[in-house]
Amino acid sequence: MKKFLLAFFGLIFLSFSAQEKTGFQLSSHILDISQGQPAGNVEIALEKYNETTKQWISIGKKQTDNNGRVSDFLPYQKAGNNGKYKLVFFIENYYKHKNIESFYPSIEVIFQIKNNEHYHVPITLSPFGYSTYRGS
């Protein structure tokens, strides 16, 4: 009986661990360091580079929530999402709405997905500068 239960639970564990990942593989976050707060209501576009045509292809656009986050970019796919991507942060209207002059109308961040892990690509932002990194 012990062997049967052990085998049964082992099969259940294997079936769950072998399932395809669900959810989204890419997220982003904007922190306005000049205000010390998240940047809400900023449009972000996602594009993928087509190696054959040498052109960027639009994947979609999202808007940051009140916490400056977009968590539902790029659903996991069975075939994978490997490739070169670009996030375009349209920040001009964000600063116009605050009556603050800004140097950058938009910011482009190009990165590469090489595996099935989650990728978090945030930026810290001010009217005259920005920084980005691979987050978790």
Side-chain angles (χ1 to χ4, degrees):
M1 183 67 171
K2 284 184 183 179
K3 288 182 181 181
F4 172 76
L5 287 175
L6 194 59
F8 175 75
F9 286 114
L11 284 173
I12 289 175
F13 175 78
L14 285 175
S15 68
F16 279 116
S17 63
Q19 287 180 352
E20 181 181 340
K21 285 188 175 186
T22 59
F24 296 89
Q25 189 172 8
L26 177 63
S27 60
S28 187
H29 184 212
I30 305 173
L31 180 61
D32 183 345
I33 59 176
S34 68
Q35 304 285 308
Q37 61 188 17
N41 300 314
V42 175
E43 187 176 65
I44 304 174
L46 175 63
E47 300 177 6
K48 184 174 184 179
Y49 188 69
N50 183 310
E51 296 288 346
T52 304
T53 64
K54 307 295 185 205
Q55 294 181 353
W56 290 100
I57 308 300
S58 176
I59 302 295
K61 291 183 179 180
K62 302 280 183 173
Q63 194 160 342
T64 58
D65 63 16
N66 290 337
N67 290 319
R69 296 182 181 275
V70 172
S71 58
D72 58 351
F73 267 130
L74 205 57
Y76 279 104
Q77 294 183 20
K78 190 173 186 175
N81 289 316
N82 291 2
K84 294 176 186 170
Y85 289 87
K86 174 170 46 175
L87 285 172
V88 183
F89 300 84
F90 296 98
I91 60 166
E92 185 173 36
N93 288 336
Y94 169 77
Y95 279 118
K96 275 186 181 178
H97 180 73
K98 294 182 172 293
N99 265 345
I100 298 173
E101 187 178 332
S102 174
F103 182 67
Y104 301 101
S106 64
I107 297 167
E108 295 184 357
V109 178
I110 299 172
F111 58 97
Q112 193 165 322
I113 291 179
K114 295 182 176 183
N115 54 39
N116 210 23
E117 294 177 6
H118 179 80
Y119 286 72
H120 184 65
V121 183
I123 63 171
T124 55
L125 175 66
S126 76
F128 298 96
Y130 67 92
S131 181
T132 185
Y133 56 96
R134 165 118 192 246
S136 58

